[in-house]
Amino acid sequence: MSTPYPFTAIVGQDDLRLGLLLNAVSPAVGGVLVRGEKGTAKSTAVRALAALMPEVSVVPGCRFSCDPASPDPACPDGPHAEAAGVSRAARTVELPVGASEDRLVGALDIERALSEGVKAFEPGLLADAHRGILYVDEVNLLHDHLVDLLLDAAAMGASYVEREGVSVRHAARFLLVGTMNPEEGELRPQLLDRFGLTVEVAASRDTDERVEVVRRRLAYDDDPEGFAARWAAKETALRERIAAARALLPRVVLGDGVLRQIAATCAAFEVDGMRADIVMARTATALAAWAGREEVTADDVRQAALLALPHRRRRNPFDAPGLDEDKLDQTLDEAAGDEGQGNDDDPDPGPDGGGDGGGGGGVPPQADGDRTPPQGSEGDDTPSQAPDSAPDAPGRSAGAEQRPVAAAEPFRTKMLSVPGLGEGAAGRRSRARTAHGRTTGAVRPQGALTKLHLSATVQAAAPHQRARGRSGRGLVVRRDDLRQATREGREGNLVLFVVDASGSMAARQRMSAVKGAVLSLLLDAYQRRDKVGLVTFRGKEAEVALPPTSSVDAAAARLESLPTGGRTPLAAGLLKAHDVLRVERLRDPSRRPLLVVVTDGRATGGPEPVALAERAARLHQAEGTASVVVDCESGYVRLGLAGELAQELGGTAVTLDELRADSIAGLVKDVTAAGRAA
């Protein structure tokens, strides 16, 4: 076994280390989510924490790590006779991103359960992590149903496995630690709320600190054992301090005044529910114990708020976690003065108020009325050729470029789905065969049985009972009789946006509306758990503004800074999208794409631009790519070019007004079928 990097040798990252240590002192805090860019010691710190955890005493031979002093009466390996416990180090169990549900919660032997009536259970990772650490790297990339199971077990302290009337329950109390890189996608807000604390980590910009990080890492890589030995004394001291804080924790007093501060803070920042209040109380208590005090102070409450509230304040999916510290201090002072109602008079109670600098920053100010037209704007809403008439000389192109404009207010869009039945990653957009959903049939299992179709299994076994010598009431079931349930649910897709940023789109109001529409579609993609990509075209060429990613936030940021101007190389945009989709089919063949082209349908620049665009569109149609064209043409005179493009793509066209979910109540548009019907 390799020697872990010492926890005390980590340079900087004070919030990260404090969040982990508080959970080591009081696992009831609820775990910690570590957010940050790659290469910031997230995984190193979590793995180093395991060496500091106190040893646990377990019942010999128990696969579920029962405490001999108070064994779980419902333990599948029980009941346990009184016996001396065996001490071992607390485990750190890592949950891989690609783990199955059975690997996480365990699996039942369905054949033995039906034929013998016994609960033959193979424990999963939740059982292994009991009384230890469960570490989930890249937790934001886990399938939603796995995250739900994981966080439910963490909240209840137990794992339940229910299969066709057979149930198993076992204790599952662990320190949950998740790490994630926000660039690769966010967790849903309701899942963020289930983590007790969150910390943001970033690489230091201090030269001396960065030098020390490199020096220590190189020394560790050259001689792990020797490096660990040099830090052994500090590791021992920290381990003893954790044990002392754990012993002190039950004696820490949480006074009424402190509770009032906690409640006032949560009310002032308008967090949902009561979980934040409870987590803050537990965190403040752990902070006092860590400091060796038996009474919680206002400073403990303040520090607890900075750790427990930022991720609970997201109102918009693109909002970044954050907390306004000035408002926090004001709220604590008012509550400490026995006012009790000070937070009700907060001049900025809203989650997105101008005084709250930490409430969000991932979306441009959509409601901002100060949208001054860019100087030198040459676009308009008519089909005039003026915006596209400028030559392609570098000097003229640069002069034609417009400043980025803010997006209009986003709206709820109609659902766009890919036709047919897919088998991609679980999501909420298109129909697909999934592990969860409504049962549609039964098949012979390929490999391990995971979802038993009980009636189909009984029907397969029934004709053979006499031949198998059945004499009692039990059903004689063989492996060949078992049937796997097939289920239909929803999948996430790859939504590739191809956005026209040429001069014909440069009119301020039109581009603002276009950005608002794309932002609305991005919000929809976030909610439906899609991957997104962004291709833009203007001037002479197209570019991949954002390669396909799970980070919808990144797409919104690129959209915000999108400039406009120049000619309209529509063919280049479609060909660039074709290249992106070709590569993605090799990387992730099961994820079906949805092409969303946002344009007025014009094509200018170069020889035969319209013919080239038509041929590029037919490439997508030949490969069966589901597509929709968002028609951005406006004004009294309409050429209908976007509709013609949609026909060449084999998809459908919708106007900006038709894209709104409330424009035609209850309409769910199949993007390909509707286009072919037209």
Side-chain angles (χ1 to χ4, degrees):
M1 183 177 179
S2 60
T3 303
Y5 192 91
F7 191 88
T8 51
I10 296 173
V11 179
Q13 306 296 13
D14 295 339
D15 288 344
L16 169 60
R17 291 186 293 160
L18 179 61
L20 292 172
L21 289 170
L22 291 177
N23 275 273
V25 171
S26 176
V29 165
V32 58
L33 176 65
V34 185
R35 298 164 42 93
E37 58 197 23
K38 51 188 176 293
T40 48
K42 299 188 297 293
S43 299
T44 298
V46 176
R47 295 187 177 103
L49 179 67
L52 301 176
M53 299 292 286
E55 289 189 341
V56 295
S57 178
V58 299
V59 173
C62 178
R63 297 174 298 167
F64 301 87
S65 303
C66 280
D67 186 349
S70 57
D72 182 6
C75 176
D77 284 356
H80 297 298
E82 293 186 8
V86 177
S87 294
R88 62 162 175 80
R91 293 173 179 159
T92 297
V93 177
E94 295 193 29
L95 174 61
V97 169
S100 65
E101 179 181 339
D102 286 344
R103 185 71 186 97
L104 177 62
V105 301
L108 288 169
D109 188 333
I110 301 296
E111 183 175 358
R112 291 189 62 193
L114 286 176
S115 59
E116 303 176 27
V118 297
K119 297 179 181 179
F121 181 69
E122 184 65 28
L125 295 176
L126 292 179
D128 293 341
H130 180 46
R131 304 176 67 199
I133 300 173
L134 182 60
Y135 171 46
V136 189
D137 194 13
E138 306 295 352
V139 64
N140 52 323
L141 301 184
L142 276 181
H143 288 171
D144 285 351
H145 72 281
L146 290 182
V147 177
D148 291 337
L149 290 170
L150 177 65
L151 296 180
D152 283 345
M156 296 185 296
S159 175
Y160 294 84
V161 182
E162 304 284 346
R163 296 284 171 82
E164 305 296 345
V166 181
S167 63
V168 172
R169 174 210 168 275
H170 66 82
R173 292 183 295 274
F174 46 80
L175 166 56
L176 176 63
V177 181
T179 59
M180 60 175 284
N181 183 350
E183 295 177 355
E184 297 173 343
E186 282 284 0
L187 277 173
R188 290 176 289 157
Q190 61 267 37
L191 297 183
L192 279 172
D193 183 58
R194 300 296 291 272
F195 282 93
L197 309 179
T198 186
V199 294
E200 296 281 338
V201 295
S204 172
R205 298 296 182 259
D206 181 80
T207 302
D208 292 338
E209 195 167 287
R210 294 175 74 97
V211 167
E212 186 61 24
V213 170
V214 175
R215 181 182 292 117
R216 293 186 186 182
R217 186 69 209 192
L218 292 178
Y220 169 78
D221 291 341
D222 289 341
D223 182 12
E225 291 80 9
F227 184 83
R230 292 196 292 274
W231 291 88
K234 290 187 176 181
E235 291 284 288
T236 300
L238 186 57
R239 190 179 299 109
E240 292 173 350
R241 184 177 177 185
I242 292 173
R246 280 191 169 191
L248 178 62
L249 189 66
R251 303 198 301 272
V252 175
V253 177
L254 191 68
D256 289 343
V258 170
L259 279 174
R260 182 174 294 277
Q261 286 184 312
I262 291 172
T265 301
C266 293
F269 285 100
E270 297 185 342
V271 296
D272 296 329
M274 296 298 298
R275 183 176 285 116
D277 303 63
I278 296 170
V279 170
M280 273 190 64
R282 290 172 174 168
T283 304
T285 304
L287 281 163
W290 178 246
R293 289 183 273 101
E294 295 188 4
E295 185 173 353
V296 176
T297 66
D299 289 338
D300 296 329
V301 175
R302 187 182 192 280
Q303 184 64 55
L306 293 174
L307 293 171
L309 295 188
H311 60 300
R312 293 183 165 89
R313 297 208 56 251
R314 295 183 69 194
R315 287 295 185 270
N316 187 298
F318 299 151
D319 289 346
L323 208 64
D324 183 354
E325 296 192 30
D326 291 337
K327 181 178 178 179
L328 173 62
D329 292 336
Q330 178 185 355
T331 302
L332 292 174
D333 290 343
E334 290 173 349
D338 292 330
E339 295 287 335
Q341 305 296 326
N343 58 310
D344 292 337
D345 298 326
D346 191 338
D348 180 25
D352 297 318
D356 186 359
V363 182
Q366 295 118 0
D368 190 357
D370 184 15
R371 294 195 178 108
T372 306
Q375 296 296 321
S377 176
E378 55 179 305
D380 57 36
D381 291 337
T382 69
S384 167
Q385 297 298 317
D388 290 328
S389 61
D392 291 337
R396 294 296 300 274
S397 297
E401 181 173 312
Q402 308 298 311
R403 282 207 318 259
V405 298
E409 187 72 20
F411 52 85
R412 189 168 63 91
T413 66
K414 289 188 296 191
M415 179 177 169
L416 306 174
S417 63
V418 179
L421 194 63
E423 295 182 350
R428 299 176 181 174
R429 184 173 296 278
S430 305
R431 293 174 54 228
R433 298 183 185 92
T434 60
H436 298 269
R438 63 185 182 90
T439 300
T440 58
V443 296
R444 291 181 181 272
Q446 302 294 324
L449 179 71
T450 56
K451 297 292 183 181
L452 178 72
H453 195 296
L454 183 58
S455 60
T457 299
V458 172
Q459 289 175 10
H464 308 290
Q465 296 305 295
R466 181 175 298 178
R468 292 173 182 172
R470 174 185 172 185
S471 57
R473 299 176 60 185
L475 188 67
V476 181
V477 180
R478 303 281 172 81
R479 173 69 185 177
D480 291 342
D481 301 328
L482 299 180
R483 295 294 183 268
Q484 174 88 16
T486 58
R487 303 194 175 193
E488 182 178 314
R490 293 280 173 177
E491 68 177 357
N493 297 110
L494 166 60
V495 182
L496 181 61
F497 294 93
V498 182
V499 180
D500 184 350
S502 64
S504 66
M505 305 287 289
R508 181 180 61 84
Q509 291 183 350
R510 185 193 295 188
M511 200 59 203
S512 177
V514 168
K515 285 188 174 183
V518 178
L519 184 62
S520 302
L521 290 167
L522 285 171
L523 284 165
D524 183 67
Y526 170 85
Q527 293 163 354
R528 301 191 187 281
R529 316 305 290 169
D530 295 316
K531 288 179 67 174
V532 296
L534 179 63
V535 173
T536 63
F537 58 94
R538 57 182 289 272
K540 292 184 178 180
E541 59 186 15
E543 66 172 349
V544 180
L546 181 71
T549 175
S550 296
S551 178
V552 179
D553 305 51
R558 300 294 172 87
L559 179 69
E560 178 183 359
S561 60
L562 179 65
T564 57
R567 294 187 178 273
T568 312
L570 178 57
L574 295 174
L575 290 174
K576 181 68 71 173
H578 183 268
D579 291 340
V580 171
L581 294 181
R582 176 178 54 81
V583 173
E584 285 301 307
R585 285 189 180 98
L586 297 175
R587 291 177 175 172
D588 192 358
S590 64
R591 189 182 288 268
R592 298 186 294 164
L594 173 61
L595 183 68
V596 179
V597 185
V598 185
T599 180
D600 57 9
R602 300 182 185 186
T604 61
E608 300 183 345
V610 176
L612 286 175
E614 291 175 350
R615 288 200 290 271
R618 286 194 288 270
L619 285 176
H620 290 281
Q621 183 182 24
E623 295 187 353
T625 302
S627 59
V628 60
V629 178
V630 179
D631 185 358
C632 302
E633 193 173 29
S634 60
Y636 294 106
V637 180
R638 294 174 180 264
L639 304 180
L641 299 177
E644 296 176 7
L645 174 63
Q647 291 181 352
E648 296 294 341
L649 286 166
T652 188
V654 295
T655 65
L656 290 175
D657 289 337
E658 292 172 344
L659 189 62
R660 295 177 178 270
D662 54 3
S663 63
I664 304 177
L667 175 63
V668 177
K669 185 179 293 293
D670 185 305
V671 297
T672 300
R676 290 175 179 170

